C-alpha cells in the first residue's frame, strides 16, 4: 500500500510538472509570435496595398532572423508568400523554442529527493531506527517464541534499510555524489555489515553465526541523532570528529613527554624499586607507573616508595637523593595535572563552544543543486571539484558546458546540477584527485623544492611543476609575463638618455663652442645639478639631459 501511494504521488508530480512545462512553452511561443508578427493595420486603396507589401517584407526578414538565431534555415520570399509555408515555419520555430523549455521538467533523482529527503520520511526513519535498537536489545531476554519473532523483525529491518540505502543513492544520482557527504560513509559501513549478515542468512547460515554483524545495526542510533530532539547530540558528534586532529596532536605530545620522563626514571631508579607493579625496571613498566601518577591513582604511595629507596633501615637517610626522587614525581604530576589537563580542557572549550553549536552550517539542499551559476561561479565550483587552482580550469571546457546547456537562452546561466553532471562525465580527473587525497602531489612538491633544488633532476620533464605547486605558473600568467612591461615616465626618460648619450655630448660641445658655458653652469646651479668642473662635455648623461 505504501509503495502504491508513493508511485501515484510520483506520477501526479510528473504529470503536473509536464503540464507546467507545456504552459511555459505556449507562453514563450505566443510571446515570440507577438514580437515578430504584430497585428496588421487596415489598408486603404493603392497606398494601403503598397504599405501591406512593405510590411510583409519586413515581417519576412524578422522571421528569417528568428530562424537563424534558432539554428533553422531561412525561407525565400516566394515560399513565404503561401500560407501553408508560413504555418510550417511557425511550427518549426515552435519546435525549436520548445527544446530548451522542456529542460524545466523534474528528473528522477529530484523526485526521489522530494520524497526520501523530506522531514516526514526522516521522522519515519527515526522511528524505525529506535524500533530496530529496541529489537536488538530485547533478543535473548525473552522466551524462545518471542526471540524468534524478534529475529524475524530484525531481518525485515535489515531489508528496509537496504531499500532505503538504494533510494538515498538514487536521490544523489550516483555513488560518488552519495559518498561526498561524510555521514553517508558511516551509514554505508553499517549497511555493509548488516547486508553481509542478511546475505549470509539467506544463503543458509545460522543466525547465531551472524549475530555480531547484525548487532552492529545498533550504531544506527548515531544516525538517528540527526533528527528532531536528538539534533544537539548530532552536533556534538560533528564537533568531536572535527577536533580529532587537535586531540591526536595533544595525545602525541603527552606520549612524547612520558617517554622522556620514563627514560629519566630508568636512569634515576633503575631496579631499586621493590614494588612489582610500580617500578622502572623496564620501559613498559615505567610508562605504566607514570600513567598511574598522571591519573592521580594512589600517586602518593608511589612517591613514598621512591623516597624510601634513599632511606634504608640499616643506613641513614640520604636527604639529597630523597629530595631528587620526590622532585621527579612531583614535577611529572604538576606537568600532567596542571599543563596537560588544562590544554585538554581548553581544546574542548574551543571546539565545543555554544556559538559554534548555534551556527552550524546547513547541508547542501536540492535547491542549491538547481541554482543558476554564471561563468565565474561555475569555474570556482569546477576548481573545487577537480582539486585545482581556479587558474588551471580549462576555459574551453567551461565554454563547451555553457554552450551545450543552452546558457544563451537563460541569460548566460546554467544550473549547478547540469555543470556537475557534465564535469563528472567529461573531465572527472579521478587519478589527479586520488593523488591529491593520498598526499602524493604534496610529497612530490616537497621533493622538487627541497630535495632536488640543487640536483639536475629538477630539469627533467617528469619533474615539472604541477597545478597547485609553489612555482607553478598558469598559461594566462605566462602569456602576461611574455608581454612587454609597461615602463613609467622616469624609466622611459632614463632609457632615452642612455640611447642618446653621444647626441647629448654633441649639444654640450656646440654650447661650449658658442661661448655659453657660463650660462649652462648658471642653469645647472639653479636646478641643483653638478656639472664637471673642468669640461661640461664630461658630465653624466642624465645631468646633460
Amino acid at each position: 500500500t505504501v509503495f502504491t501511494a508513493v508511485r501515484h504521488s510520483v506520477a501526479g508530480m510528473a504529470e503536473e510538472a509536464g503540464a507546467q512545462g507545456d504552459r511555459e512553452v505556449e507562453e514563450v511561443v505566443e510571446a515570440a509570435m507577438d514580437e515578430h508578427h504584430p497585428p496588421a493595420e487596415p489598408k486603404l486603396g493603392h497606398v494601403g496595398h503598397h504599405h501591406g507589401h512593405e510590411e510583409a517584407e519586413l515581417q519576412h526578414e524578422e522571421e528569417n532572423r528568428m530562424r537563424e538565431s534558432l539554428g533553422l534555415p531561412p525561407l525565400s520570399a516566394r515560399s513565404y508568400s503561401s500560407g501553408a509555408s508560413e504555418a510550417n515555419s511557425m511550427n518549426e520555430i515552435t519546435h525549436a523554442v520548445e527544446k530548451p523549455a522542456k529542460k524545466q521538467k523534474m528528473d528522477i533523482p529530484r523526485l526521489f529527493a522530494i520524497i526520501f529527503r523530506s522531514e516526514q520520511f526522516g521522522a519515519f526513519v527515526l522511528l524505525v531506527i529506535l524500533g530496530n535498537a529496541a529489537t536488538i536489545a530485547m533478543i535473548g531476554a525473552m522466551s524462545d517464541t518471542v526471540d524468534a519473532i524478534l529475529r524475524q523483525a530484525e531481518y525485515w529491518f535489515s531489508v528496509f534499510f537496504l531499500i532505503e540505502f538504494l533510494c538515498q543513492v538514487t536521490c544523489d544520482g550516483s555513488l560518488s555524489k552519495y559518498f561526498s557527504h561524510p555521514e553517508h560513509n558511516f551509514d554505508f559501513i553499517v549497511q555493509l555489515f548488516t547486508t553481509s549478515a542478511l546475505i549470509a542468512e539467506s544463503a543458509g547460515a545460522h543466525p547465531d553465526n551472524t549475530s555480531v554483524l547484525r548487532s552492529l545495526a545498533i550504531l544506527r542510533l548515531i544516525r538517528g541523532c540527526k533528527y528532531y530532539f536528538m539534533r544537539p547530540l548530532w552536533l556534538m558528534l560533528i564537533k568531536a570528529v572535527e577536533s580529532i586532529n587537535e586531540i591526536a596532536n595533544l595525545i602525541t605530545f603527552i606520549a612524547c613527554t612520558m617517554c622522556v620522563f620514563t627514560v629519566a626514571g630508568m636512569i634515576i631508579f633503575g631496579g631499586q624499586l621493590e614494588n612489582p607493579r610500580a617500578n622502572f625496571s623496564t620501559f613498559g613498566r615505567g610508562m605504566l607507573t607514570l600513567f598511574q601518577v598522571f591519573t592521580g591513582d594512589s600517586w602518593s604511595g608511589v612517591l613514598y616508595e621512591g623516597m624510601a629507596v634513599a632511606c634504608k633501615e640499616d643506613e641513614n637517610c640520604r636527604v639529597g637523593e630523597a629530595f631528587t626522587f620526590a622532585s621527579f614525581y612531583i614535577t611529572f604530576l604538576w606537568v600532567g595535572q596542571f599543563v596537560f589537563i588544562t590544554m585538554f580542557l581548553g581544546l574542548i572549550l574551543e571546539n565545543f563552544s555554544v556559538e559554534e553549536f548555534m551556527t552550524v552550517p546547513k547541508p547542501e539542499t536540492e535547491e542549491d543543486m538547481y541554482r543558476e551559476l554564471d561563468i565565474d561561479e561555475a569555474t570556482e565550483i569546477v576548481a573545487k571539484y577537480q582539486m585545482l587552482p581556479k587558474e588551471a580550469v580549462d576555459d574551453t571546457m567551461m565554454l563547451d558546458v555553457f554552450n551545450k546547456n543552452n546558457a544563451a537562452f537563460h541569460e548566460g546561466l546554467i544550473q549547478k546540477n547540469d555543470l556537475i553532471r557534465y564535469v563528472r562525465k567529461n573531465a572527472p580527473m579521478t587519478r589527479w584527485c586520488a593523488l591529491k587525497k593520498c598526499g602524493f602531489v604534496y610529497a612530490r612538491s616537497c621533493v622538487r623544492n627541497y630535495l632536488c633544488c640543487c640536483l639536475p633532476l629538477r630539469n627533467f620533464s617528469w619533474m615539472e611543476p604541477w597545478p597547485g605547486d609553489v612555482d607553478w605558473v598558469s598559461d594566462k600568467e605566462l602569456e602576461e609575463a611574455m608581454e612587454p612591461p609597461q615602463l613609467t615616465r622616469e624609466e622611459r626618460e632614463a632609457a632615452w638618455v642612455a640611447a642618446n648619450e653621444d647626441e647629448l655630448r654633441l649639444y654640450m660641445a656646440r654650447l661650449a663652442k658658442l661661448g655659453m658655458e657660463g650660462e649652462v653652469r648658471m642653469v645647472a646651479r639653479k636646478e641643483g645639478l653638478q656639472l664637471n668642473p673642468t669640461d661640461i662635455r664630461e658630465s653624466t648623461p642624465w645631468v646633460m639631459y
Side-chain angles (χ1 to χ4, degrees):
T1 304
V2 172
F3 285 115
T4 304
V6 170
R7 185 184 63 193
H8 286 305
S9 62
V10 171
M13 291 179 185
E15 183 177 358
E16 182 180 355
Q20 183 179 359
D22 294 339
R23 288 195 299 271
E24 292 177 357
V25 171
E26 293 177 359
E27 292 176 0
V28 173
V29 174
E30 290 178 0
M33 292 279 291
D34 294 339
E35 181 180 356
H36 296 281
H37 294 279
E41 298 180 358
K43 306 175 180 58
L44 299 176
H46 179 72
V47 177
H49 177 73
H50 181 69
H51 177 72
H53 182 67
E54 291 180 353
E55 184 177 357
E57 291 181 354
L58 293 175
Q59 185 175 350
H60 177 219
E61 293 177 359
E62 290 292 334
E63 185 166 345
N64 277 338
R65 291 195 195 99
M66 184 176 180
R67 291 174 63 87
E68 183 178 357
S69 64
L70 295 174
L72 300 176
L75 290 176
S76 61
R78 180 175 298 179
S79 62
Y80 180 77
S81 61
S82 61
S85 297
E86 183 177 358
N88 294 334
S89 174
M90 293 313 302
N91 289 334
E92 292 178 356
I93 294 175
T94 302
H95 182 68
V97 174
E98 185 179 358
K99 287 182 179 179
K102 283 186 177 180
K103 285 182 60 180
Q104 304 297 329
K105 291 187 177 181
M106 301 174 67
D107 52 2
I108 293 178
R110 190 172 186 181
L111 290 174
F112 269 73
I114 292 174
I115 298 172
F116 298 104
R117 295 281 172 86
S118 62
E119 294 184 0
Q120 293 78 9
F121 186 77
F124 178 69
V125 171
L126 177 59
L127 293 177
V128 175
I129 290 174
L130 296 177
N132 190 14
T135 302
I136 295 173
M138 289 188 296
I139 290 178
M142 301 292 178
S143 61
D144 295 340
T145 305
V146 177
D147 280 350
I149 296 174
L150 293 176
R151 292 182 186 278
Q152 191 68 20
E154 186 182 8
Y155 175 84
W156 288 110
F157 278 131
S158 301
V159 173
F160 169 79
F161 283 111
L162 177 60
I163 297 174
E164 190 263 345
F165 166 74
L166 297 176
C167 293
Q168 293 295 334
V169 174
T170 307
C171 292
D172 290 322
S174 63
L175 282 173
S176 59
K177 188 176 179 181
Y178 175 81
F179 288 123
S180 63
H181 303 281
E183 64 271 14
H184 289 173
N185 299 329
F186 176 77
D187 295 341
F188 173 75
I189 294 174
V190 177
Q191 186 62 45
L192 184 64
F193 288 123
T194 55
T195 304
S196 301
L198 188 67
I199 295 174
E201 291 182 8
S202 301
H206 196 273
D208 294 338
N209 298 330
T210 60
S211 59
V212 177
L213 294 177
R214 287 186 287 103
S215 299
L216 292 177
I218 197 71
L219 296 177
R220 288 198 177 97
L221 285 174
I222 298 178
R223 176 189 172 186
C225 295
K226 295 191 300 183
Y227 306 107
Y228 299 102
F229 61 91
M230 302 179 71
R231 182 70 178 173
L233 297 177
W234 178 254
L235 301 181
M236 290 183 63
L237 290 172
I238 292 176
K239 292 301 178 181
V241 172
E242 291 178 353
S243 59
I244 285 178
N245 292 333
E246 290 82 359
I247 295 176
N249 294 334
L250 180 58
I251 292 175
T252 304
F253 177 65
I254 294 174
C256 293
T257 307
M258 291 182 64
C259 290
V260 173
F261 273 86
T262 301
V263 174
M266 294 175 66
I267 296 174
I268 294 174
F269 295 101
Q272 301 181 48
L273 296 177
E274 298 177 356
N275 192 332
R277 293 185 299 175
N279 57 73
F280 290 90
S281 57
T282 61
F283 184 82
R285 182 59 62 181
M287 289 288 287
L288 291 176
T289 304
L290 290 181
F291 185 76
Q292 179 180 351
V293 177
F294 177 75
T295 58
D297 182 19
S298 302
W299 75 275
S300 58
V302 179
L303 170 66
Y304 294 143
E305 290 177 0
M307 296 175 64
V309 174
C311 297
K312 301 294 184 179
E313 295 181 356
D314 55 346
E315 298 179 2
N316 295 327
C317 290
R318 296 184 295 275
V319 180
E321 291 185 7
F323 180 77
T324 303
F325 297 159
S327 300
F328 173 80
Y329 286 112
I330 292 174
T331 303
F332 182 75
L333 178 69
W334 181 83
V335 172
Q337 292 289 330
F338 296 101
V339 178
F340 293 155
I341 299 299
T342 304
M343 293 173 62
F344 190 76
L345 291 177
L347 185 63
I348 292 177
L349 292 176
E350 180 182 359
N351 289 278
F352 291 84
S353 60
V354 178
E355 290 78 7
E356 293 292 335
F357 281 101
M358 300 300 293
T359 59
V360 173
K362 297 181 179 179
E364 191 176 38
T365 60
E366 292 299 319
E367 288 75 10
D368 295 333
M369 289 301 300
Y370 286 89
R371 66 186 179 94
E372 294 182 335
L373 309 170
D374 57 13
I375 185 67
D376 294 331
E377 295 175 339
T379 304
E380 292 180 359
I381 292 176
V382 173
K384 184 177 180 181
Y385 177 80
Q386 294 181 341
M387 303 181 71
L388 290 170
K390 186 178 178 181
E391 297 79 10
V393 177
D394 189 2
D395 296 334
T396 306
M397 181 195 69
M398 298 303 300
L399 294 177
D400 187 50
V401 65
F402 270 75
N403 292 332
K404 289 189 176 181
N405 287 277
N406 298 318
F409 290 96
H410 301 87
E411 300 179 356
L413 304 175
I414 63 171
Q415 291 184 354
K416 182 179 178 181
N417 190 37
D418 296 333
L419 173 67
I420 297 299
R421 185 185 298 113
Y422 179 89
V423 175
R424 284 176 177 168
K425 181 179 179 181
N426 297 279
M429 300 186 67
T430 307
R431 295 182 180 177
W432 170 259
C433 294
L435 293 176
K436 289 277 285 187
K437 290 180 180 179
C438 68
F440 178 79
V441 177
Y442 176 75
R444 178 183 180 274
S445 177
C446 294
V447 171
R448 288 185 64 261
N449 295 312
Y450 301 108
L451 186 61
C452 300
C453 58
C454 301
L455 300 177
L457 295 175
R458 189 168 179 173
N459 300 325
F460 288 100
S461 59
W462 54 274
M463 289 299 289
E464 292 180 355
W466 285 354
D469 290 346
V470 178
D471 52 349
W472 176 78
V473 180
S474 62
D475 295 338
K476 183 177 180 181
E477 293 176 347
L478 189 60
E479 292 177 359
E480 293 177 355
M482 294 178 64
E483 294 179 356
Q486 299 294 331
L487 302 178
T488 61
R489 179 179 178 181
E490 291 77 7
E491 292 174 344
R492 290 196 301 269
E493 289 181 352
W496 187 89
V497 169
N500 297 274
E501 181 179 354
D502 296 337
E503 188 175 356
L504 289 172
R505 295 189 185 280
L506 180 61
Y507 288 153
M508 283 294 180
R510 290 178 180 176
L511 291 174
K513 187 176 182 180
L514 292 173
M516 299 179 64
E517 184 175 351
E519 287 81 354
V520 171
R521 292 186 179 278
M522 182 177 62
V523 172
R525 190 180 305 109
K526 183 178 180 181
E527 295 294 334
L529 301 175
Q530 186 67 32
L531 290 173
N532 190 290
T534 58
D535 190 355
I536 61 174
R537 292 172 295 181
E538 299 299 329
S539 303
T540 59
W542 180 255
V543 173
M544 290 189 294
Y545 170 73

